[in-house]
Coordinates of all heavy atoms in Angstrom, one line a residue:
M1 N 73.6 -63.1 47.6 CA 72.5 -62.6 48.2 C 72.3 -61.2 47.9 O 73.2 -60.4 48.3 CB 72.5 -62.7 49.6 CG 73.0 -64.0 50.3 SD 71.8 -65.3 50.1 CE 73.0 -66.4 49.6
N2 N 71.4 -60.8 47.2 CA 71.2 -59.3 46.8 C 70.3 -58.7 47.8 O 70.4 -57.5 48.0 CB 70.7 -59.2 45.4 CG 71.6 -59.7 44.4 OD1 72.8 -59.6 44.6 ND2 71.2 -60.1 43.2
T3 N 69.4 -59.3 48.5 CA 68.5 -58.6 49.5 C 68.5 -59.3 50.7 O 68.7 -60.6 50.8 CB 67.0 -58.7 48.9 OG1 66.6 -60.0 48.8 CG2 67.0 -58.0 47.5
V4 N 68.3 -58.6 51.7 CA 68.2 -59.1 53.1 C 66.6 -59.5 53.3 O 65.8 -58.6 53.2 CB 68.5 -58.0 54.2 CG1 68.4 -58.6 55.5 CG2 70.0 -57.6 53.9
P5 N 66.3 -60.7 53.6 CA 64.9 -60.9 53.8 C 64.4 -60.1 55.0 O 65.1 -59.8 56.0 CB 64.9 -62.5 54.1 CG 66.4 -62.7 54.6 CD 67.2 -61.7 54.0
T6 N 63.1 -60.0 55.1 CA 62.4 -59.3 56.1 C 62.1 -60.4 57.2 O 61.8 -61.5 56.8 CB 61.1 -58.6 55.7 OG1 60.2 -59.5 55.0 CG2 61.5 -57.4 54.6
T7 N 61.8 -59.9 58.4 CA 61.3 -60.7 59.4 C 60.4 -60.0 60.4 O 60.5 -58.7 60.3 CB 62.6 -61.4 60.2 OG1 62.1 -62.4 61.1 CG2 63.3 -60.3 61.0
S8 N 59.7 -60.6 61.0 CA 58.7 -59.9 61.9 C 59.0 -60.3 63.4 O 59.4 -61.4 63.8 CB 57.2 -60.1 61.6 OG 57.0 -61.6 61.8
Y9 N 58.8 -59.4 64.3 CA 58.9 -59.6 65.7 C 57.8 -59.1 66.4 O 57.0 -58.2 66.1 CB 60.1 -58.7 66.3 CG 61.3 -58.9 65.6 CD1 61.8 -58.1 64.5 CD2 62.2 -60.0 65.9 CE1 63.1 -58.3 63.9 CE2 63.3 -60.3 65.1 CZ 63.8 -59.4 64.3 OH 64.9 -59.6 63.6
T10 N 57.5 -59.7 67.6 CA 56.4 -59.4 68.4 C 56.9 -58.6 69.6 O 57.0 -59.3 70.7 CB 55.5 -60.6 68.8 OG1 56.4 -61.6 69.5 CG2 54.9 -61.2 67.7
T11 N 57.4 -57.4 69.4 CA 58.2 -56.7 70.5 C 57.7 -55.2 70.3 O 56.8 -54.8 69.3 CB 59.6 -56.8 70.3 OG1 60.0 -56.2 69.0 CG2 60.1 -58.1 70.5
N12 N 58.0 -54.3 71.2 CA 57.6 -53.0 71.1 C 58.3 -52.3 69.8 O 59.3 -52.9 69.3 CB 57.9 -52.2 72.3 CG 59.4 -52.0 72.6 OD1 60.2 -51.7 71.7 ND2 59.7 -52.2 73.9
S13 N 57.9 -51.1 69.3 CA 58.5 -50.6 68.2 C 59.8 -50.2 68.2 O 60.6 -50.3 67.2 CB 57.5 -49.4 67.6 OG 57.6 -48.3 68.7
S14 N 60.3 -49.7 69.3 CA 61.7 -49.3 69.6 C 62.7 -50.6 69.4 O 63.6 -50.5 68.7 CB 62.0 -48.7 70.9 OG 63.2 -48.4 71.2
T15 N 62.3 -51.6 70.1 CA 63.0 -52.8 70.1 C 63.0 -53.4 68.6 O 64.0 -53.9 68.0 CB 62.4 -53.9 71.0 OG1 62.5 -53.3 72.3 CG2 63.3 -55.2 70.9
Q16 N 61.9 -53.3 67.9 CA 61.8 -53.9 66.6 C 62.6 -53.0 65.7 O 63.3 -53.6 64.8 CB 60.3 -53.8 66.2 CG 60.0 -54.4 64.7 CD 58.6 -54.4 64.4 OE1 57.8 -53.9 65.1 NE2 58.3 -55.0 63.3
T17 N 62.6 -51.7 65.8 CA 63.5 -50.8 65.0 C 65.0 -51.2 65.1 O 65.7 -51.2 64.2 CB 63.1 -49.3 65.2 OG1 61.8 -49.2 65.0 CG2 64.0 -48.4 64.4
D18 N 65.4 -51.2 66.4 CA 66.7 -51.5 66.7 C 67.1 -52.9 66.1 O 68.1 -53.0 65.6 CB 67.1 -51.5 68.2 CG 66.8 -50.1 68.8 OD1 66.8 -49.1 68.1 OD2 66.8 -50.1 70.0
A19 N 66.4 -53.8 66.4 CA 66.6 -55.3 65.9 C 66.7 -55.3 64.4 O 67.6 -55.9 63.7 CB 65.6 -56.2 66.5
A20 N 65.7 -54.5 63.7 CA 65.8 -54.5 62.3 C 67.0 -54.0 61.7 O 67.5 -54.5 60.7 CB 64.5 -53.8 61.8
A21 N 67.5 -52.9 62.3 CA 68.7 -52.2 61.9 C 69.8 -53.2 62.0 O 70.8 -53.3 61.2 CB 68.9 -50.9 62.7
L22 N 70.0 -53.8 63.2 CA 71.0 -54.8 63.4 C 71.0 -55.9 62.4 O 72.1 -56.3 61.8 CB 70.9 -55.4 64.8 CG 71.7 -56.6 65.3 CD1 73.2 -56.0 65.5 CD2 71.3 -57.1 66.5
Y23 N 69.8 -56.3 62.1 CA 69.5 -57.4 61.2 C 70.1 -57.0 59.8 O 70.9 -57.7 59.1 CB 68.1 -57.8 61.1 CG 67.7 -58.9 60.3 CD1 67.9 -60.2 60.8 CD2 67.0 -58.8 59.1 CE1 67.5 -61.2 59.8 CE2 66.6 -59.8 58.2 CZ 66.9 -61.1 58.7 OH 66.4 -62.2 57.9
R24 N 69.6 -55.8 59.3 CA 70.1 -55.4 57.9 C 71.5 -55.3 57.9 O 72.1 -55.5 56.9 CB 69.4 -54.1 57.6 CG 68.0 -54.2 57.2 CD 67.3 -53.1 56.6 NE 67.4 -51.8 57.6 CZ 66.6 -51.6 58.5 NH1 65.6 -52.3 58.6 NH2 66.8 -50.5 59.4
R25 N 72.1 -54.7 59.0 CA 73.7 -54.4 58.9 C 74.5 -55.6 59.0 O 75.5 -55.7 58.3 CB 73.9 -53.6 60.2 CG 75.3 -53.0 60.2 CD 75.5 -52.0 61.2 NE 75.4 -52.5 62.7 CZ 74.5 -51.8 63.4 NH1 73.7 -50.8 63.1 NH2 74.4 -52.4 64.7
H26 N 74.0 -56.7 59.6 CA 74.9 -57.9 59.8 C 74.6 -59.1 59.1 O 75.2 -60.1 59.1 CB 75.0 -58.1 61.3 CG 75.7 -57.0 62.1 ND1 77.0 -56.9 62.0 CD2 75.1 -56.1 62.9 CE1 77.3 -55.7 62.7 NE2 76.3 -55.3 63.3
W27 N 73.2 -59.2 58.6 CA 72.8 -60.3 57.9 C 73.7 -60.9 56.8 O 74.0 -62.0 56.8 CB 71.3 -60.1 57.5 CG 70.8 -61.3 56.8 CD1 70.1 -62.3 57.6 CD2 70.8 -61.7 55.5 NE1 69.6 -63.3 56.6 CE2 69.9 -63.0 55.2 CE3 71.2 -61.0 54.2 CZ2 69.9 -63.5 54.1 CZ3 71.0 -61.7 53.0 CH2 70.2 -62.9 53.0
P28 N 74.2 -60.1 55.9 CA 75.0 -60.5 54.8 C 76.3 -61.2 55.3 O 76.7 -62.2 54.7 CB 75.3 -59.2 53.9 CG 74.2 -58.4 54.2 CD 73.8 -58.5 55.7
A29 N 77.0 -60.5 56.3 CA 78.2 -61.0 56.7 C 77.9 -62.4 57.5 O 78.8 -63.2 57.4 CB 78.9 -60.0 57.7
L30 N 76.9 -62.5 58.3 CA 76.7 -63.7 59.0 C 76.3 -64.7 58.0 O 76.7 -66.0 58.2 CB 75.6 -63.4 60.1 CG 76.0 -62.6 61.2 CD1 74.8 -62.3 62.2 CD2 77.1 -63.3 62.0
C31 N 75.6 -64.5 57.0 CA 75.2 -65.6 56.0 C 76.5 -65.9 55.2 O 76.7 -67.3 55.0 CB 74.2 -65.1 55.0 SG 72.6 -65.1 55.6
A32 N 77.3 -65.0 54.9 CA 78.5 -65.5 54.3 C 79.5 -66.3 55.1 O 80.1 -67.3 54.7 CB 79.3 -64.1 53.9
F33 N 79.5 -65.9 56.5 CA 80.2 -66.8 57.4 C 79.8 -68.1 57.6 O 80.4 -69.2 57.4 CB 80.1 -66.1 58.8 CG 80.8 -66.8 59.9 CD1 82.2 -66.8 60.1 CD2 80.1 -67.6 60.7 CE1 82.8 -67.4 61.1 CE2 80.7 -68.4 61.7 CZ 82.1 -68.3 61.9
A34 N 78.5 -68.4 57.5 CA 77.8 -69.6 57.6 C 78.0 -70.5 56.3 O 78.4 -71.6 56.3 CB 76.4 -69.6 57.9
R35 N 78.0 -69.7 55.2 CA 78.3 -70.4 54.0 C 79.8 -70.8 53.8 O 80.1 -71.8 53.2 CB 78.0 -69.4 52.7 CG 76.6 -69.2 52.5 CD 75.7 -70.2 51.7 NE 76.3 -70.2 50.3 CZ 76.7 -71.3 49.8 NH1 76.6 -72.5 50.4 NH2 77.2 -71.3 48.5
A36 N 80.6 -70.1 54.4 CA 82.1 -70.3 54.3 C 82.4 -71.6 55.3 O 83.4 -72.3 55.0 CB 82.8 -69.2 54.8
R37 N 81.4 -71.8 56.1 CA 81.6 -73.0 57.0 C 80.9 -74.2 56.4 O 80.8 -75.3 57.0 CB 81.1 -72.7 58.3 CG 81.8 -71.5 59.1 CD 83.3 -71.8 59.3 NE 84.0 -70.8 60.0 CZ 84.5 -69.8 59.5 NH1 84.4 -69.4 58.3 NH2 85.2 -68.9 60.2
G38 N 80.4 -74.1 55.1 CA 79.8 -75.3 54.5 C 78.3 -75.3 54.5 O 77.9 -76.3 53.9
C39 N 77.6 -74.4 55.0 CA 76.1 -74.4 54.9 C 75.7 -74.1 53.6 O 76.2 -73.2 52.8 CB 75.6 -73.4 55.8 SG 75.8 -73.7 57.6
E40 N 74.5 -74.8 53.1 CA 74.0 -74.4 51.9 C 73.4 -73.0 52.1 O 73.0 -72.6 53.2 CB 72.9 -75.5 51.6 CG 73.3 -76.8 51.2 CD 74.2 -76.9 50.0 OE1 73.8 -76.1 49.1 OE2 75.1 -77.7 49.9
T41 N 73.0 -72.4 50.9 CA 72.5 -71.0 51.1 C 71.3 -70.9 51.9 O 71.2 -70.1 52.9 CB 72.2 -70.4 49.7 OG1 73.5 -70.4 49.0 CG2 71.7 -69.0 49.8
H42 N 70.3 -71.8 51.7 CA 69.0 -71.6 52.4 C 69.2 -72.0 53.9 O 68.5 -71.4 54.7 CB 67.9 -72.5 51.7 CG 68.3 -74.0 51.7 ND1 69.1 -74.5 50.9 CD2 67.8 -74.9 52.6 CE1 69.1 -76.0 51.1 NE2 68.3 -76.1 52.2
D43 N 70.2 -73.0 54.1 CA 70.5 -73.2 55.5 C 71.1 -72.2 56.3 O 70.8 -71.8 57.5 CB 71.2 -74.6 55.7 CG 70.4 -75.8 55.2 OD1 69.2 -75.8 55.3 OD2 71.2 -76.8 54.8
A44 N 72.1 -71.5 55.6 CA 72.7 -70.3 56.1 C 71.7 -69.3 56.5 O 71.8 -68.6 57.5 CB 73.8 -69.9 55.4
E45 N 70.7 -69.0 55.5 CA 69.7 -67.9 55.7 C 68.9 -68.3 56.8 O 68.6 -67.4 57.9 CB 69.0 -67.7 54.5 CG 69.8 -67.1 53.4 CD 69.1 -67.1 52.1 OE1 68.1 -67.6 51.9 OE2 69.7 -66.4 51.0
D46 N 68.4 -69.5 57.0 CA 67.6 -69.9 58.1 C 68.2 -69.8 59.4 O 67.7 -69.4 60.4 CB 67.1 -71.3 57.9 CG 66.1 -71.5 56.7 OD1 65.6 -70.6 56.3 OD2 65.9 -72.6 56.3
A47 N 69.6 -70.2 59.5 CA 70.3 -70.2 60.7 C 70.4 -68.7 61.2 O 70.2 -68.4 62.4 CB 71.7 -70.8 60.6
V48 N 70.8 -67.8 60.3 CA 71.0 -66.4 60.7 C 69.7 -65.8 61.1 O 69.5 -65.1 62.1 CB 71.6 -65.6 59.5 CG1 71.6 -64.1 59.9 CG2 73.0 -66.1 59.3
Q49 N 68.4 -66.1 60.4 CA 67.2 -65.7 60.8 C 66.8 -66.1 62.3 O 66.3 -65.4 63.0 CB 66.1 -66.1 59.9 CG 66.2 -65.2 58.6 CD 65.1 -65.7 57.6 OE1 64.7 -66.8 57.6 NE2 64.8 -64.7 56.7
E50 N 67.1 -67.4 62.4 CA 66.9 -68.0 63.8 C 67.7 -67.2 64.9 O 67.1 -67.1 66.0 CB 67.2 -69.5 63.8 CG 66.8 -70.3 65.1 CD 67.0 -71.6 64.9 OE1 67.0 -72.4 63.9 OE2 67.2 -72.3 66.0
L51 N 69.0 -67.0 64.6 CA 69.9 -66.4 65.5 C 69.2 -65.0 65.8 O 69.1 -64.7 67.1 CB 71.3 -66.2 65.0 CG 72.1 -65.2 65.7 CD1 72.5 -65.8 67.1 CD2 73.4 -64.9 64.8
F52 N 68.8 -64.3 65.0 CA 68.3 -62.9 65.2 C 67.0 -63.0 66.0 O 66.7 -62.3 67.0 CB 68.0 -62.0 64.0 CG 69.4 -61.3 63.5 CD1 70.1 -62.0 62.6 CD2 69.8 -60.4 64.1 CE1 71.3 -61.3 62.1 CE2 71.0 -59.7 63.8 CZ 71.8 -60.2 62.7
A53 N 66.1 -64.0 65.5 CA 64.8 -64.2 66.4 C 65.1 -64.5 67.9 O 64.4 -63.9 68.8 CB 64.1 -65.3 65.8
K54 N 66.1 -65.3 68.1 CA 66.5 -65.6 69.5 C 67.0 -64.5 70.3 O 66.8 -64.3 71.4 CB 67.5 -66.9 69.5 CG 66.8 -68.1 69.2 CD 67.8 -69.3 69.2 CE 67.2 -70.6 68.9 NZ 68.2 -71.7 69.0
L55 N 67.9 -63.7 69.5 CA 68.5 -62.5 70.3 C 67.4 -61.5 70.6 O 67.4 -61.0 71.8 CB 69.6 -61.8 69.2 CG 70.7 -62.5 68.9 CD1 71.5 -61.8 67.9 CD2 71.6 -62.6 70.2
V56 N 66.4 -61.3 69.9 CA 65.3 -60.4 70.2 C 64.4 -60.9 71.2 O 64.1 -60.3 72.1 CB 64.4 -60.1 68.9 CG1 63.3 -59.3 69.3 CG2 65.3 -59.2 67.9
A57 N 64.1 -62.3 71.2 CA 63.3 -62.9 72.1 C 63.9 -62.9 73.6 O 63.2 -62.7 74.5 CB 62.9 -64.3 71.6
Q58 N 65.2 -63.0 73.5 CA 65.9 -63.0 74.8 C 66.3 -61.6 75.2 O 67.0 -61.4 76.3 CB 67.1 -63.8 74.7 CG 66.7 -65.2 74.6 CD 68.0 -66.2 74.2 OE1 69.2 -65.6 74.2 NE2 67.9 -67.4 73.9
G59 N 66.0 -60.6 74.5 CA 66.3 -59.1 74.8 C 67.9 -59.0 74.6 O 68.3 -58.0 75.3
Q60 N 68.5 -59.7 73.7 CA 70.0 -59.5 73.7 C 70.4 -58.8 72.5 O 71.7 -58.8 72.2 CB 70.5 -60.9 73.8 CG 70.4 -61.8 74.9 CD 71.1 -61.1 76.2 OE1 72.3 -60.7 75.9 NE2 70.4 -60.9 77.3
H61 N 69.5 -58.3 71.7 CA 70.0 -57.6 70.4 C 70.9 -56.5 70.6 O 71.8 -56.3 69.7 CB 68.7 -57.3 69.7 CG 67.8 -56.2 70.3 ND1 67.0 -56.6 71.2 CD2 67.7 -54.8 70.1 CE1 66.4 -55.4 71.6 NE2 66.8 -54.4 70.9
E62 N 70.7 -55.6 71.7 CA 71.6 -54.5 71.9 C 73.0 -55.1 72.3 O 74.0 -54.4 71.7 CB 71.0 -53.6 73.0 CG 69.8 -52.9 72.5 CD 69.3 -52.0 73.7 OE1 69.8 -51.9 74.7 OE2 68.3 -51.3 73.4
R63 N 73.0 -56.1 73.1 CA 74.4 -56.8 73.4 C 75.0 -57.3 72.2 O 76.2 -57.1 72.1 CB 74.2 -57.8 74.5 CG 75.6 -58.4 75.0 CD 75.2 -59.2 76.2 NE 76.3 -59.9 76.5 CZ 76.7 -61.3 76.2 NH1 75.8 -61.9 75.6 NH2 77.8 -61.7 76.7
A64 N 74.3 -57.9 71.4 CA 74.8 -58.6 70.1 C 75.3 -57.5 69.2 O 76.4 -57.6 68.6 CB 73.8 -59.4 69.4
A65 N 74.6 -56.4 69.1 CA 75.0 -55.3 68.3 C 76.4 -54.8 68.8 O 77.4 -54.5 67.9 CB 74.0 -54.2 68.3
A66 N 76.6 -54.5 69.9 CA 77.9 -54.0 70.5 C 79.0 -55.1 70.2 O 80.0 -54.7 69.8 CB 77.8 -53.9 72.0
I67 N 78.8 -56.3 70.3 CA 79.8 -57.4 70.0 C 80.1 -57.4 68.5 O 81.3 -57.5 68.1 CB 79.3 -58.8 70.6 CG1 79.2 -58.8 72.0 CG2 80.2 -59.9 70.0 CD1 78.5 -59.9 72.6
F68 N 79.1 -57.4 67.7 CA 79.3 -57.3 66.3 C 80.0 -56.1 65.8 O 81.1 -56.3 65.0 CB 78.0 -57.4 65.5 CG 77.2 -58.7 65.6 CD1 75.8 -58.6 65.5 CD2 77.8 -59.9 65.6 CE1 75.1 -59.9 65.6 CE2 77.1 -61.0 65.8 CZ 75.7 -61.1 65.8
D69 N 79.8 -55.0 66.3 CA 80.5 -53.7 66.0 C 81.9 -53.8 66.5 O 82.8 -53.3 65.8 CB 79.7 -52.5 66.4 CG 78.3 -52.3 65.9 OD1 78.2 -52.8 64.8 OD2 77.5 -51.6 66.3
Q70 N 82.1 -54.2 67.7 CA 83.5 -54.3 68.2 C 84.3 -55.4 67.4 O 85.4 -55.0 67.0 CB 83.4 -54.8 69.7 CG 84.8 -55.0 70.2 CD 84.7 -55.7 71.7 OE1 83.7 -56.0 72.0 NE2 85.8 -55.4 72.5
T71 N 83.7 -56.4 66.9 CA 84.4 -57.4 66.2 C 84.8 -56.7 64.7 O 85.9 -56.9 64.2 CB 83.5 -58.7 65.9 OG1 83.3 -59.2 67.2 CG2 84.3 -59.6 64.9
R72 N 83.8 -56.1 64.2 CA 84.0 -55.4 63.0 C 85.2 -54.4 63.0 O 86.0 -54.2 62.2 CB 82.8 -54.8 62.5 CG 82.9 -54.0 61.1 CD 81.6 -53.6 60.6 NE 80.8 -54.8 59.9 CZ 79.8 -54.7 59.3 NH1 79.2 -53.5 59.2 NH2 79.2 -55.7 58.9
A73 N 85.2 -53.6 64.1 CA 86.2 -52.5 64.3 C 87.6 -53.1 64.4 O 88.5 -52.6 63.9 CB 85.8 -51.8 65.5
Q74 N 87.6 -54.4 65.1 CA 88.8 -54.9 65.2 C 89.4 -55.5 64.0 O 90.6 -55.4 63.7 CB 88.8 -56.2 66.2 CG 88.6 -55.7 67.7 CD 88.2 -56.9 68.6 OE1 87.9 -58.0 68.2 NE2 88.3 -56.6 69.9
K75 N 88.6 -56.0 63.0 CA 89.0 -56.4 61.8 C 89.6 -55.3 61.0 O 90.4 -55.4 60.3 CB 87.8 -57.1 61.1 CG 87.5 -58.6 61.6 CD 86.4 -59.2 60.9 CE 86.1 -60.5 61.4 NZ 85.0 -61.3 60.6
V76 N 88.9 -54.1 61.1 CA 89.2 -52.9 60.2 C 90.6 -52.5 60.8 O 91.5 -52.2 60.0 CB 88.2 -51.9 60.3 CG1 88.8 -50.6 59.9 CG2 87.0 -52.2 59.6
Q77 N 90.9 -52.5 62.1 CA 92.0 -52.0 62.7 C 93.3 -53.0 62.2 O 94.3 -52.6 62.0 CB 92.0 -51.9 64.1 CG 91.2 -50.7 64.6 CD 90.9 -50.7 66.1 OE1 91.4 -51.7 66.8 NE2 90.3 -49.7 66.6
G78 N 92.9 -54.2 62.2 CA 93.9 -55.2 61.8 C 94.2 -55.4 60.4 O 95.2 -56.0 60.0
A79 N 93.4 -54.8 59.6 CA 93.5 -54.8 58.0 C 94.6 -54.0 57.6 O 95.2 -53.2 58.1 CB 92.3 -54.5 57.3

C-alpha cells in the first residue's frame, strides 16, 4: 500500500480533522495487521475503513487515538 485512501465524514470540521489525522497515522499498520491475519488486501482496506467510520460515528476517535498511541509506545519501549 503506497497511499492511504481518503474517506469522508459527516461531522464538524474539528472532528473531521482529528479523525483524518488518526486515519492517516494508523491506516497502514491496521491494514498490515488485517493482512497478517489472512485478509485479502481489498478486504483489509474495507475493514479498516469501516472501523474508522464507526469510531467517528460513535464519537470514539479520540479514545481510539489514545489507545493506538499507547499501544505503539509500548511496542517501542519493548523493542
Side-chain angles (χ1 to χ4, degrees):
M1 315 293 129
N2 292 336
T3 61
V4 176
T6 59
T7 188
S8 61
Y9 303 100
T10 55
T11 59
N12 68 44
S13 62
S14 174
T15 298
Q16 186 174 3
T17 301
D18 293 346
L22 176 70
Y23 185 76
R24 282 190 307 273
R25 186 168 63 237
H26 297 289
W27 184 85
L30 290 172
C31 280
F33 177 82
R35 291 279 297 129
R37 300 300 182 275
C39 290
E40 295 292 327
T41 301
H42 65 279
D43 292 332
E45 292 170 352
D46 289 347
V48 173
Q49 286 178 334
E50 185 176 331
L51 168 66
F52 278 100
K54 285 181 180 182
L55 289 171
V56 171
Q58 295 172 0
Q60 296 293 316
H61 63 283
E62 290 178 358
R63 181 172 176 258
I67 291 168
F68 290 150
D69 290 340
Q70 180 182 15
T71 301
R72 181 175 282 184
Q74 289 172 350
K75 286 183 180 181
V76 169
Q77 290 174 354

